[in-house]
Amino acid sequence: MKVSFHGQSVVQVVTSKHNILIDPFISGNGTCDLDANEVNPDVILLTHGHNDHVGDTIDIAKRTNALVVAPYELAVYLESRGLNTHPMHIGGAHPFEFGRVKLTPAFHGSAFTDENGQSIYCGMPAGILLTVEGKTIYHAGDTALFSDFKLIGELNDIDLAFLPIGDNFTMGPEDALIAAEWIKAKQVVPIHYNTFPLIEQDGDAFADKVRPGKGVALKPGEGIDL
């Protein structure tokens, strides 16, 4: 299984049978190496409704008929746009053909601005625990530091975690280091930084401060074999 990072919060998980894309903000993302017209996911997982996370979901899913798994209100909205969706909510888990998904809390907001400039409320934001081929990947989405990171770490054997470090809108590096300590993941990758000037951070410096040998800052397009 190959897990790769593609700028902002875009993560791709390619297994022996499935192509899973998380928060596909591709068009308009200057740090992304993907082409929204060429990616072919079977599944799209969304953490929340902000445009820099929903990204190209509507166009990609209409083209590929990918299943979109998202928090309930966001899934309902995307279904109204003609997508094949599976709604979930915080604390819930579901076994899919491609793997098991569980949504965790995240402290943030969630609203999608459509092409007409209308803001659509998308419910509560979430993190994602994805268990596939015997490995567990944690994508924290956009969030502040919160004490339940300890519980997430205690209840799950996390092989790879993606944590936001951009600050201003999410945790900054200092808080993300605490989160990394609490979740006890075998490897930690920083996300949600350097896409815009307001969230510029040094990913390598963050990775160096994670428990020895546990942090890795991936450049867009780089991945990890699990």
Side-chain angles (χ1 to χ4, degrees):
M1 172 170 48
K2 182 81 167 186
V3 185
S4 51
F5 170 65
H6 300 279
Q8 184 72 345
S9 300
V10 186
V11 171
Q12 188 171 43
V13 181
V14 179
T15 73
S16 59
K17 296 181 179 179
H18 297 283
N19 186 332
I20 304 163
L21 197 55
I22 304 176
D23 285 0
F25 173 44
I26 299 172
S27 301
N29 177 0
T31 64
C32 189
D33 62 303
L34 300 176
D35 186 330
N37 296 312
E38 295 182 359
V39 293
N40 289 289
D42 307 294
V43 181
I44 297 173
L45 306 181
L46 297 178
T47 60
H48 65 289
H50 285 158
N51 290 59
D52 61 333
H53 292 260
V54 175
D56 298 278
T57 294
I58 294 173
D59 289 341
I60 293 171
K62 283 185 175 180
R63 176 172 57 81
T64 66
N65 197 36
L67 173 67
V68 180
V69 180
Y72 177 81
E73 291 83 357
L74 176 56
V76 168
Y77 169 70
L78 293 175
E79 184 178 24
S80 77
R81 297 291 300 267
L83 305 192
N84 176 25
T85 70
H86 181 102
M88 297 186 67
H89 231 311
I90 307 300
H94 186 77
F96 295 90
E97 180 184 355
F98 62 87
R100 179 180 185 267
V101 173
K102 183 173 184 177
L103 297 189
T104 68
F107 282 75
H108 196 60
S110 184
F112 180 75
T113 303
D114 69 11
E115 57 270 27
N116 299 314
Q118 181 179 359
S119 182
I120 294 96
Y121 173 66
C122 294
M124 294 177 66
I128 295 170
L129 284 165
L130 170 64
T131 302
V132 58
E133 295 186 347
K135 301 292 185 179
T136 296
I137 301 161
Y138 177 43
H139 189 299
D142 279 4
T143 186
L145 177 67
F146 59 100
S147 59
D148 278 2
F149 276 118
K150 293 181 181 179
L151 190 60
I152 292 169
E154 290 174 2
L155 296 178
N156 300 277
D157 183 14
I158 300 171
D159 294 281
L160 178 60
F162 293 90
L163 299 179
I165 69 165
D167 219 346
N168 195 78
F169 298 111
T170 68
M171 297 186 290
E174 297 82 3
D175 284 354
L177 284 171
I178 297 171
E181 187 67 28
W182 286 347
I183 62 174
K184 303 174 184 177
K186 296 179 180 70
Q187 289 183 290
V188 176
V189 176
I191 59 173
H192 203 275
Y193 70 103
N194 288 355
T195 320
F196 314 106
L198 193 57
I199 57 172
E200 287 183 356
Q201 300 291 343
D202 188 332
D204 290 315
F206 168 82
D208 288 343
K209 293 177 182 177
V210 178
R211 296 192 320 278
K214 303 296 184 182
V216 55
L218 298 177
K219 293 181 175 61
E222 292 183 341
I224 292 172
D225 292 316
L226 286 183

